[in-house]
mmCIF file of all heavy atoms in Angstrom:
data_model
loop_
_atom_site.group_PDB
_atom_site.id
_atom_site.type_symbol
_atom_site.label_atom_id
_atom_site.label_comp_id
_atom_site.label_asym_id
_atom_site.label_seq_id
_atom_site.Cartn_x
_atom_site.Cartn_y
_atom_site.Cartn_z
ATOM 1 N N PRO Q 130 136.589 197.300 -0.803
ATOM 2 C CA PRO Q 130 135.965 195.999 -0.690
ATOM 3 C C PRO Q 130 135.491 195.429 -2.062
ATOM 4 O O PRO Q 130 135.715 194.215 -2.302
ATOM 5 C CB PRO Q 130 134.767 196.175 0.196
ATOM 6 C CG PRO Q 130 135.134 197.399 1.026
ATOM 7 C CD PRO Q 130 135.960 198.223 0.142
ATOM 8 N N SER Q 131 134.919 196.285 -2.920
ATOM 9 C CA SER Q 131 134.363 195.700 -4.173
ATOM 10 C C SER Q 131 135.476 195.285 -5.148
ATOM 11 O O SER Q 131 135.260 194.483 -6.002
ATOM 12 C CB SER Q 131 133.475 196.763 -4.861
ATOM 13 O OG SER Q 131 134.229 197.883 -5.212
ATOM 14 N N ARG Q 132 136.683 195.756 -4.933
ATOM 15 C CA ARG Q 132 137.811 195.299 -5.743
ATOM 16 C C ARG Q 132 138.652 194.277 -4.998
ATOM 17 O O ARG Q 132 139.676 193.780 -5.528
ATOM 18 C CB ARG Q 132 138.766 196.474 -6.115
ATOM 19 C CG ARG Q 132 138.122 197.599 -6.949
ATOM 20 C CD ARG Q 132 139.189 198.614 -7.312
ATOM 21 N NE ARG Q 132 138.602 199.908 -7.628
ATOM 22 C CZ ARG Q 132 139.259 201.035 -7.715
ATOM 23 N NH1 ARG Q 132 140.564 201.077 -7.507
ATOM 24 N NH2 ARG Q 132 138.694 202.206 -8.077
ATOM 25 N N GLN Q 133 138.295 193.950 -3.776
ATOM 26 C CA GLN Q 133 139.047 193.041 -2.917
ATOM 27 C C GLN Q 133 140.496 193.501 -2.895
ATOM 28 O O GLN Q 133 141.444 192.664 -2.974
ATOM 29 C CB GLN Q 133 138.933 191.597 -3.383
ATOM 30 C CG GLN Q 133 137.533 191.063 -3.395
ATOM 31 C CD GLN Q 133 137.104 190.667 -4.776
ATOM 32 O OE1 GLN Q 133 137.788 190.157 -5.578
ATOM 33 N NE2 GLN Q 133 135.853 191.058 -5.060
ATOM 34 N N SER Q 134 140.735 194.758 -2.789
ATOM 35 C CA SER Q 134 142.109 195.250 -2.805
ATOM 36 C C SER Q 134 142.469 196.108 -1.597
ATOM 37 O O SER Q 134 141.535 196.693 -0.985
ATOM 38 C CB SER Q 134 142.381 196.008 -4.114
ATOM 39 O OG SER Q 134 141.592 197.174 -4.220
ATOM 40 N N VAL Q 135 143.742 196.094 -1.309
ATOM 41 C CA VAL Q 135 144.241 196.876 -0.140
ATOM 42 C C VAL Q 135 145.507 197.582 -0.610
ATOM 43 O O VAL Q 135 146.269 196.988 -1.354
ATOM 44 C CB VAL Q 135 144.452 195.997 1.084
ATOM 45 C CG1 VAL Q 135 145.445 194.899 0.773
ATOM 46 C CG2 VAL Q 135 144.841 196.702 2.293
ATOM 47 N N TRP Q 136 145.598 198.889 -0.193
ATOM 48 C CA TRP Q 136 146.662 199.739 -0.669
ATOM 49 C C TRP Q 136 147.308 200.329 0.526
ATOM 50 O O TRP Q 136 146.696 201.046 1.301
ATOM 51 C CB TRP Q 136 146.029 200.763 -1.631
ATOM 52 C CG TRP Q 136 146.916 201.865 -2.077
ATOM 53 C CD1 TRP Q 136 148.295 201.934 -2.118
ATOM 54 C CD2 TRP Q 136 146.462 203.163 -2.605
ATOM 55 N NE1 TRP Q 136 148.733 203.114 -2.631
ATOM 56 C CE2 TRP Q 136 147.634 203.905 -2.960
ATOM 57 C CE3 TRP Q 136 145.235 203.725 -2.801
ATOM 58 C CZ2 TRP Q 136 147.539 205.170 -3.467
ATOM 59 C CZ3 TRP Q 136 145.137 204.984 -3.331
ATOM 60 C CH2 TRP Q 136 146.341 205.722 -3.659
ATOM 61 N N CYS Q 137 148.617 200.095 0.715
ATOM 62 C CA CYS Q 137 149.318 200.492 1.918
ATOM 63 C C CYS Q 137 150.555 201.297 1.554
ATOM 64 O O CYS Q 137 151.164 201.127 0.539
ATOM 65 C CB CYS Q 137 149.758 199.303 2.765
ATOM 66 S SG CYS Q 137 148.489 198.051 3.008
ATOM 67 N N ARG Q 138 150.944 202.150 2.534
ATOM 68 C CA ARG Q 138 152.263 202.820 2.413
ATOM 69 C C ARG Q 138 152.932 202.779 3.818
ATOM 70 O O ARG Q 138 152.291 202.913 4.819
ATOM 71 C CB ARG Q 138 151.997 204.339 2.094
ATOM 72 C CG ARG Q 138 151.692 204.568 0.636
ATOM 73 C CD ARG Q 138 151.459 206.045 0.382
ATOM 74 N NE ARG Q 138 151.211 206.285 -1.040
ATOM 75 C CZ ARG Q 138 150.851 207.514 -1.473
ATOM 76 N NH1 ARG Q 138 150.606 208.510 -0.656
ATOM 77 N NH2 ARG Q 138 150.684 207.672 -2.774
ATOM 78 N N VAL Q 139 154.182 202.488 3.758
ATOM 79 C CA VAL Q 139 155.050 202.496 4.914
ATOM 80 C C VAL Q 139 155.928 203.745 4.873
ATOM 81 O O VAL Q 139 156.598 203.930 3.848
ATOM 82 C CB VAL Q 139 155.921 201.260 4.989
ATOM 83 C CG1 VAL Q 139 156.799 201.259 6.207
ATOM 84 C CG2 VAL Q 139 155.124 199.964 4.940
ATOM 85 N N SER Q 140 155.846 204.550 5.882
ATOM 86 C CA SER Q 140 156.651 205.807 5.832
ATOM 87 C C SER Q 140 158.142 205.493 6.011
ATOM 88 O O SER Q 140 158.491 204.461 6.567
ATOM 89 C CB SER Q 140 156.150 206.763 6.905
ATOM 90 O OG SER Q 140 156.633 206.310 8.203
ATOM 91 N N ARG Q 141 158.926 206.442 5.525
ATOM 92 C CA ARG Q 141 160.412 206.260 5.688
ATOM 93 C C ARG Q 141 160.778 206.231 7.183
ATOM 94 O O ARG Q 141 161.639 205.508 7.592
ATOM 95 C CB ARG Q 141 161.155 207.412 4.996
ATOM 96 C CG ARG Q 141 161.141 207.194 3.487
ATOM 97 C CD ARG Q 141 162.337 208.001 2.850
ATOM 98 N NE ARG Q 141 162.121 209.408 2.996
ATOM 99 C CZ ARG Q 141 161.565 210.225 2.080
ATOM 100 N NH1 ARG Q 141 161.119 209.748 0.952
ATOM 101 N NH2 ARG Q 141 161.360 211.535 2.346
ATOM 102 N N ASP Q 142 160.020 207.020 7.924
ATOM 103 C CA ASP Q 142 160.296 207.079 9.413
ATOM 104 C C ASP Q 142 160.039 205.669 10.017
ATOM 105 O O ASP Q 142 160.857 205.184 10.746
ATOM 106 C CB ASP Q 142 159.425 208.163 10.012
ATOM 107 C CG ASP Q 142 159.624 208.249 11.549
ATOM 108 O OD1 ASP Q 142 160.768 208.366 11.931
ATOM 109 O OD2 ASP Q 142 158.654 208.134 12.263
ATOM 110 N N ALA Q 143 158.846 205.079 9.667
ATOM 111 C CA ALA Q 143 158.517 203.743 10.254
ATOM 112 C C ALA Q 143 159.529 202.749 9.723
ATOM 113 O O ALA Q 143 159.968 201.894 10.554
ATOM 114 C CB ALA Q 143 157.086 203.424 9.852
ATOM 115 N N ALA Q 144 159.855 202.770 8.459
ATOM 116 C CA ALA Q 144 160.807 201.786 7.901
ATOM 117 C C ALA Q 144 162.182 201.936 8.645
ATOM 118 O O ALA Q 144 162.806 200.985 8.935
ATOM 119 C CB ALA Q 144 160.944 202.032 6.432
ATOM 120 N N GLY Q 145 162.538 203.236 8.850
ATOM 121 C CA GLY Q 145 163.782 203.450 9.599
ATOM 122 C C GLY Q 145 163.822 202.936 11.007
ATOM 123 O O GLY Q 145 164.850 202.585 11.521
ATOM 124 N N ARG Q 146 162.637 202.906 11.553
ATOM 125 C CA ARG Q 146 162.530 202.348 12.968
ATOM 126 C C ARG Q 146 162.256 200.837 13.004
ATOM 127 O O ARG Q 146 161.953 200.241 13.985
ATOM 128 C CB ARG Q 146 161.404 203.078 13.699
ATOM 129 C CG ARG Q 146 161.815 204.551 14.089
ATOM 130 C CD ARG Q 146 160.831 205.217 14.982
ATOM 131 N NE ARG Q 146 159.659 205.670 14.190
ATOM 132 C CZ ARG Q 146 158.407 205.220 14.472
ATOM 133 N NH1 ARG Q 146 158.189 204.305 15.432
ATOM 134 N NH2 ARG Q 146 157.405 205.622 13.752
ATOM 135 N N GLY Q 147 162.338 200.229 11.793
ATOM 136 C CA GLY Q 147 162.304 198.784 11.741
ATOM 137 C C GLY Q 147 160.931 198.173 11.470
ATOM 138 O O GLY Q 147 160.775 196.953 11.769
ATOM 139 N N PHE Q 148 159.996 198.978 10.990
ATOM 140 C CA PHE Q 148 158.623 198.409 10.769
ATOM 141 C C PHE Q 148 158.732 197.224 9.782
ATOM 142 O O PHE Q 148 159.339 197.307 8.745
ATOM 143 C CB PHE Q 148 157.694 199.510 10.262
ATOM 144 C CG PHE Q 148 156.307 199.015 9.984
ATOM 145 C CD1 PHE Q 148 155.388 198.905 11.029
ATOM 146 C CD2 PHE Q 148 155.940 198.648 8.680
ATOM 147 C CE1 PHE Q 148 154.081 198.473 10.789
ATOM 148 C CE2 PHE Q 148 154.599 198.163 8.442
ATOM 149 C CZ PHE Q 148 153.714 198.110 9.552
ATOM 150 N N SER Q 149 157.999 196.226 10.126
ATOM 151 C CA SER Q 149 157.982 195.005 9.363
ATOM 152 C C SER Q 149 156.531 194.593 9.102
ATOM 153 O O SER Q 149 155.633 194.891 9.889
ATOM 154 C CB SER Q 149 158.704 193.857 10.107
ATOM 155 O OG SER Q 149 158.272 192.592 9.669
ATOM 156 N N LEU Q 150 156.287 193.829 8.060
ATOM 157 C CA LEU Q 150 154.921 193.375 7.817
ATOM 158 C C LEU Q 150 154.533 192.402 8.965
ATOM 159 O O LEU Q 150 153.293 192.187 9.185
ATOM 160 C CB LEU Q 150 154.862 192.610 6.473
ATOM 161 C CG LEU Q 150 154.905 193.544 5.233
ATOM 162 C CD1 LEU Q 150 155.031 192.706 3.966
ATOM 163 C CD2 LEU Q 150 153.743 194.431 5.150
ATOM 164 N N VAL Q 151 155.495 191.847 9.620
ATOM 165 C CA VAL Q 151 155.137 191.000 10.787
ATOM 166 C C VAL Q 151 154.451 191.868 11.863
ATOM 167 O O VAL Q 151 153.577 191.415 12.599
ATOM 168 C CB VAL Q 151 156.357 190.309 11.342
ATOM 169 C CG1 VAL Q 151 156.035 189.391 12.509
ATOM 170 C CG2 VAL Q 151 157.045 189.448 10.275
ATOM 171 N N ASP Q 152 154.893 193.153 11.975
ATOM 172 C CA ASP Q 152 154.215 194.051 12.960
ATOM 173 C C ASP Q 152 152.757 194.291 12.539
ATOM 174 O O ASP Q 152 151.843 194.364 13.368
ATOM 175 C CB ASP Q 152 154.933 195.408 12.983
ATOM 176 C CG ASP Q 152 156.319 195.326 13.593
ATOM 177 O OD1 ASP Q 152 156.462 194.744 14.667
ATOM 178 O OD2 ASP Q 152 157.303 195.716 12.958
ATOM 179 N N LEU Q 153 152.519 194.408 11.266
ATOM 180 C CA LEU Q 153 151.150 194.614 10.736
ATOM 181 C C LEU Q 153 150.345 193.276 11.035
ATOM 182 O O LEU Q 153 149.228 193.389 11.547
ATOM 183 C CB LEU Q 153 151.167 194.894 9.272
ATOM 184 C CG LEU Q 153 149.783 194.883 8.573
ATOM 185 C CD1 LEU Q 153 148.935 195.997 9.151
ATOM 186 C CD2 LEU Q 153 149.982 195.144 7.082
ATOM 187 N N GLY Q 154 150.940 192.178 10.743
ATOM 188 C CA GLY Q 154 150.256 190.912 10.951
ATOM 189 C C GLY Q 154 149.949 190.731 12.464
ATOM 190 O O GLY Q 154 148.811 190.339 12.805
ATOM 191 N N ALA Q 155 150.898 191.108 13.296
ATOM 192 C CA ALA Q 155 150.640 190.964 14.749
ATOM 193 C C ALA Q 155 149.542 191.894 15.195
ATOM 194 O O ALA Q 155 148.685 191.485 16.057
ATOM 195 C CB ALA Q 155 151.933 191.308 15.481
ATOM 196 N N ALA Q 156 149.470 193.056 14.665
ATOM 197 C CA ALA Q 156 148.419 194.028 15.028
ATOM 198 C C ALA Q 156 147.051 193.511 14.596
ATOM 199 O O ALA Q 156 146.080 193.604 15.360
ATOM 200 C CB ALA Q 156 148.693 195.387 14.422
ATOM 201 N N LEU Q 157 147.018 192.959 13.376
ATOM 202 C CA LEU Q 157 145.724 192.400 12.922
ATOM 203 C C LEU Q 157 145.307 191.221 13.778
ATOM 204 O O LEU Q 157 144.081 191.086 14.166
ATOM 205 C CB LEU Q 157 145.908 191.928 11.452
ATOM 206 C CG LEU Q 157 145.990 193.092 10.416
ATOM 207 C CD1 LEU Q 157 146.452 192.549 9.019
ATOM 208 C CD2 LEU Q 157 144.713 193.873 10.252
ATOM 209 N N ILE Q 158 146.221 190.357 14.112
ATOM 210 C CA ILE Q 158 145.887 189.199 14.950
ATOM 211 C C ILE Q 158 145.428 189.682 16.324
ATOM 212 O O ILE Q 158 144.411 189.186 16.835
ATOM 213 C CB ILE Q 158 147.151 188.295 15.053
ATOM 214 C CG1 ILE Q 158 147.378 187.601 13.701
ATOM 215 C CG2 ILE Q 158 146.961 187.216 16.169
ATOM 216 C CD1 ILE Q 158 148.712 186.838 13.611
ATOM 217 N N ASP Q 159 146.119 190.638 16.935
ATOM 218 C CA ASP Q 159 145.712 191.151 18.239
ATOM 219 C C ASP Q 159 144.318 191.738 18.161
ATOM 220 O O ASP Q 159 143.444 191.537 19.121
ATOM 221 C CB ASP Q 159 146.709 192.246 18.700
ATOM 222 C CG ASP Q 159 147.947 191.612 19.282
ATOM 223 O OD1 ASP Q 159 147.965 190.421 19.493
ATOM 224 O OD2 ASP Q 159 148.929 192.387 19.542
ATOM 225 N N SER Q 160 144.047 192.506 17.107
ATOM 226 C CA SER Q 160 142.796 193.170 16.956
ATOM 227 C C SER Q 160 141.655 192.140 16.842
ATOM 228 O O SER Q 160 140.597 192.287 17.468
ATOM 229 C CB SER Q 160 142.883 194.052 15.709
ATOM 230 O OG SER Q 160 141.660 194.731 15.552
ATOM 231 N N LEU Q 161 141.890 191.104 16.060
ATOM 232 C CA LEU Q 161 140.888 190.039 15.857
ATOM 233 C C LEU Q 161 140.613 189.275 17.185
ATOM 234 O O LEU Q 161 139.494 189.000 17.554
ATOM 235 C CB LEU Q 161 141.296 189.068 14.778
ATOM 236 C CG LEU Q 161 141.202 189.579 13.368
ATOM 237 C CD1 LEU Q 161 141.985 188.718 12.397
ATOM 238 C CD2 LEU Q 161 139.767 189.757 12.892
ATOM 239 N N LYS Q 162 141.747 188.963 17.879
ATOM 240 C CA LYS Q 162 141.603 188.193 19.085
ATOM 241 C C LYS Q 162 140.991 188.978 20.267
ATOM 242 O O LYS Q 162 140.616 188.426 21.294
ATOM 243 C CB LYS Q 162 142.967 187.574 19.485
ATOM 244 C CG LYS Q 162 143.339 186.467 18.485
ATOM 245 C CD LYS Q 162 144.748 185.925 18.811
ATOM 246 C CE LYS Q 162 144.728 185.001 20.021
ATOM 247 N NZ LYS Q 162 145.984 184.339 20.214
ATOM 248 N N SER Q 163 140.822 190.288 20.051
ATOM 249 C CA SER Q 163 140.133 191.062 21.103
ATOM 250 C C SER Q 163 138.620 190.869 20.992
ATOM 251 O O SER Q 163 137.845 191.305 21.849
ATOM 252 C CB SER Q 163 140.504 192.537 20.985
ATOM 253 O OG SER Q 163 139.903 193.070 19.807
ATOM 254 N N LEU Q 164 138.159 190.236 19.908
ATOM 255 C CA LEU Q 164 136.730 190.054 19.665
ATOM 256 C C LEU Q 164 136.179 188.831 20.384
ATOM 257 O O LEU Q 164 136.897 187.796 20.493
ATOM 258 C CB LEU Q 164 136.408 189.901 18.201
ATOM 259 C CG LEU Q 164 136.845 191.014 17.237
ATOM 260 C CD1 LEU Q 164 136.557 190.633 15.746
ATOM 261 C CD2 LEU Q 164 135.986 192.284 17.583
ATOM 262 N N ASP Q 165 134.962 188.901 20.889
ATOM 263 C CA ASP Q 165 134.321 187.701 21.468
ATOM 264 C C ASP Q 165 134.222 186.647 20.403
ATOM 265 O O ASP Q 165 133.872 186.955 19.217
ATOM 266 C CB ASP Q 165 132.924 188.080 21.937
ATOM 267 C CG ASP Q 165 132.981 188.943 23.157
ATOM 268 O OD1 ASP Q 165 134.020 188.979 23.829
ATOM 269 O OD2 ASP Q 165 131.934 189.605 23.467
ATOM 270 N N GLY Q 166 134.492 185.421 20.754
ATOM 271 C CA GLY Q 166 134.323 184.296 19.782
ATOM 272 C C GLY Q 166 135.539 184.014 18.978
ATOM 273 O O GLY Q 166 135.607 182.947 18.408
ATOM 274 N N VAL Q 167 136.485 184.935 18.892
ATOM 275 C CA VAL Q 167 137.713 184.691 18.049
ATOM 276 C C VAL Q 167 138.782 184.109 18.972
ATOM 277 O O VAL Q 167 139.205 184.757 19.942
ATOM 278 C CB VAL Q 167 138.241 185.951 17.389
ATOM 279 C CG1 VAL Q 167 139.507 185.661 16.631
ATOM 280 C CG2 VAL Q 167 137.204 186.527 16.424
ATOM 281 N N SER Q 168 139.165 182.893 18.695
ATOM 282 C CA SER Q 168 140.130 182.220 19.557
ATOM 283 C C SER Q 168 141.531 182.193 18.974
ATOM 284 O O SER Q 168 142.517 181.902 19.647
ATOM 285 C CB SER Q 168 139.682 180.746 19.824
ATOM 286 O OG SER Q 168 139.474 180.115 18.610
ATOM 287 N N GLY Q 169 141.607 182.515 17.699
ATOM 288 C CA GLY Q 169 142.928 182.510 17.035
ATOM 289 C C GLY Q 169 142.880 183.196 15.686
ATOM 290 O O GLY Q 169 141.806 183.424 15.148
ATOM 291 N N ALA Q 170 144.052 183.573 15.205
ATOM 292 C CA ALA Q 170 144.078 184.248 13.896
ATOM 293 C C ALA Q 170 145.445 184.067 13.313
ATOM 294 O O ALA Q 170 146.456 183.958 14.020
ATOM 295 C CB ALA Q 170 143.752 185.756 14.022
ATOM 296 N N GLN Q 171 145.511 184.046 11.988
ATOM 297 C CA GLN Q 171 146.808 184.041 11.289
ATOM 298 C C GLN Q 171 146.709 184.966 10.010
ATOM 299 O O GLN Q 171 145.601 185.190 9.589
ATOM 300 C CB GLN Q 171 147.161 182.593 10.855
ATOM 301 C CG GLN Q 171 146.401 182.039 9.680
ATOM 302 C CD GLN Q 171 146.914 180.643 9.298
ATOM 303 O OE1 GLN Q 171 146.266 179.674 9.665
ATOM 304 N NE2 GLN Q 171 148.002 180.569 8.520
ATOM 305 N N VAL Q 172 147.863 185.388 9.608
ATOM 306 C CA VAL Q 172 147.870 186.342 8.471
ATOM 307 C C VAL Q 172 148.933 185.885 7.477
ATOM 308 O O VAL Q 172 150.010 185.407 7.877
ATOM 309 C CB VAL Q 172 148.176 187.790 8.951
ATOM 310 C CG1 VAL Q 172 148.245 188.738 7.814
ATOM 311 C CG2 VAL Q 172 147.153 188.256 9.965
ATOM 312 N N VAL Q 173 148.653 186.072 6.211
ATOM 313 C CA VAL Q 173 149.594 185.758 5.165
ATOM 314 C C VAL Q 173 149.730 187.032 4.285
ATOM 315 O O VAL Q 173 148.727 187.646 3.924
ATOM 316 C CB VAL Q 173 149.079 184.609 4.234
ATOM 317 C CG1 VAL Q 173 150.123 184.278 3.150
ATOM 318 C CG2 VAL Q 173 148.756 183.385 5.030
ATOM 319 N N PHE Q 174 150.973 187.405 4.032
ATOM 320 C CA PHE Q 174 151.243 188.586 3.169
ATOM 321 C C PHE Q 174 152.054 188.081 1.950
ATOM 322 O O PHE Q 174 152.986 187.269 2.116
ATOM 323 C CB PHE Q 174 152.057 189.635 3.850
ATOM 324 C CG PHE Q 174 151.319 190.311 4.987
ATOM 325 C CD1 PHE Q 174 151.877 190.251 6.265
ATOM 326 C CD2 PHE Q 174 150.133 191.000 4.800
ATOM 327 C CE1 PHE Q 174 151.242 190.859 7.373
ATOM 328 C CE2 PHE Q 174 149.527 191.617 5.864
ATOM 329 C CZ PHE Q 174 150.085 191.563 7.164
ATOM 330 N N VAL Q 175 151.621 188.467 0.743
ATOM 331 C CA VAL Q 175 152.332 188.124 -0.443
ATOM 332 C C VAL Q 175 152.854 189.376 -1.169
ATOM 333 O O VAL Q 175 152.112 190.281 -1.512
ATOM 334 C CB VAL Q 175 151.392 187.299 -1.384
ATOM 335 C CG1 VAL Q 175 152.159 186.823 -2.635
ATOM 336 C CG2 VAL Q 175 150.786 186.144 -0.700
ATOM 337 N N THR Q 176 154.182 189.380 -1.270
ATOM 338 C CA THR Q 176 154.823 190.528 -1.987
ATOM 339 C C THR Q 176 155.765 190.062 -3.078
ATOM 340 O O THR Q 176 156.514 190.850 -3.618
ATOM 341 C CB THR Q 176 155.660 191.388 -0.974
ATOM 342 O OG1 THR Q 176 156.651 190.562 -0.359
ATOM 343 C CG2 THR Q 176 154.764 192.026 0.104
ATOM 344 N N ALA Q 177 155.699 188.730 -3.349
ATOM 345 C CA ALA Q 177 156.669 188.111 -4.202
ATOM 346 C C ALA Q 177 156.551 188.502 -5.707
ATOM 347 O O ALA Q 177 157.484 188.255 -6.472
ATOM 348 C CB ALA Q 177 156.601 186.605 -4.095
ATOM 349 N N GLY Q 178 155.465 189.052 -6.099
ATOM 350 C CA GLY Q 178 155.278 189.406 -7.507
ATOM 351 C C GLY Q 178 153.798 189.296 -7.902
ATOM 352 O O GLY Q 178 153.004 188.698 -7.133
ATOM 353 N N VAL Q 179 153.487 189.828 -9.067
ATOM 354 C CA VAL Q 179 152.106 189.832 -9.516
ATOM 355 C C VAL Q 179 151.574 188.436 -9.585
ATOM 356 O O VAL Q 179 150.410 188.173 -9.197
ATOM 357 C CB VAL Q 179 152.029 190.548 -10.899
ATOM 358 C CG1 VAL Q 179 150.658 190.507 -11.488
ATOM 359 C CG2 VAL Q 179 152.499 192.021 -10.750
ATOM 360 N N ASP Q 180 152.355 187.558 -10.186
ATOM 361 C CA ASP Q 180 151.851 186.156 -10.377
ATOM 362 C C ASP Q 180 151.489 185.505 -9.049
ATOM 363 O O ASP Q 180 150.478 184.789 -9.009
ATOM 364 C CB ASP Q 180 152.877 185.322 -11.106
ATOM 365 C CG ASP Q 180 153.039 185.811 -12.578
ATOM 366 O OD1 ASP Q 180 152.169 186.579 -13.045
ATOM 367 O OD2 ASP Q 180 154.036 185.391 -13.208
ATOM 368 N N GLU Q 181 152.329 185.712 -8.062
ATOM 369 C CA GLU Q 181 152.060 185.084 -6.747
ATOM 370 C C GLU Q 181 150.820 185.696 -6.136
ATOM 371 O O GLU Q 181 149.990 185.005 -5.544
ATOM 372 C CB GLU Q 181 153.268 185.242 -5.856
ATOM 373 C CG GLU Q 181 154.516 184.491 -6.343
ATOM 374 C CD GLU Q 181 154.299 183.022 -6.590
ATOM 375 O OE1 GLU Q 181 153.749 182.296 -5.745
ATOM 376 O OE2 GLU Q 181 154.638 182.597 -7.708
ATOM 377 N N VAL Q 182 150.711 187.003 -6.204
ATOM 378 C CA VAL Q 182 149.584 187.719 -5.622
ATOM 379 C C VAL Q 182 148.242 187.222 -6.335
ATOM 380 O O VAL Q 182 147.245 186.971 -5.618
ATOM 381 C CB VAL Q 182 149.698 189.282 -5.787
ATOM 382 C CG1 VAL Q 182 148.374 189.942 -5.420
ATOM 383 C CG2 VAL Q 182 150.816 189.738 -4.836
ATOM 384 N N LYS Q 183 148.339 187.096 -7.606
ATOM 385 C CA LYS Q 183 147.155 186.705 -8.374
ATOM 386 C C LYS Q 183 146.631 185.275 -8.083
ATOM 387 O O LYS Q 183 145.532 184.945 -8.398
ATOM 388 C CB LYS Q 183 147.367 186.903 -9.894
ATOM 389 C CG LYS Q 183 147.293 188.378 -10.277
ATOM 390 C CD LYS Q 183 147.310 188.573 -11.760
ATOM 391 C CE LYS Q 183 147.088 189.986 -12.135
ATOM 392 N NZ LYS Q 183 147.267 190.292 -13.560
#
Side-chain angles (χ1 to χ4, degrees):
Chain Q
S131 63
R132 297 185 201 166
Q133 299 115 43
S134 61
V135 60
W136 172 21
C137 313
R138 283 176 176 174
V139 180
S140 74
R141 283 202 295 265
D142 180 52
R146 287 186 286 119
F148 181 82
S149 156
L150 288 174
V151 181
D152 293 307
L153 173 61
L157 290 167
I158 290 168
D159 281 350
S160 182
L161 287 167
K162 288 177 74 173
S163 69
L164 300 174
D165 289 341
V167 177
S168 55
Q171 77 177 98
V172 178
V173 182
F174 295 118
V175 183
T176 59
V179 174
D180 290 345
E181 297 306 309
V182 169
K183 283 189 174 172

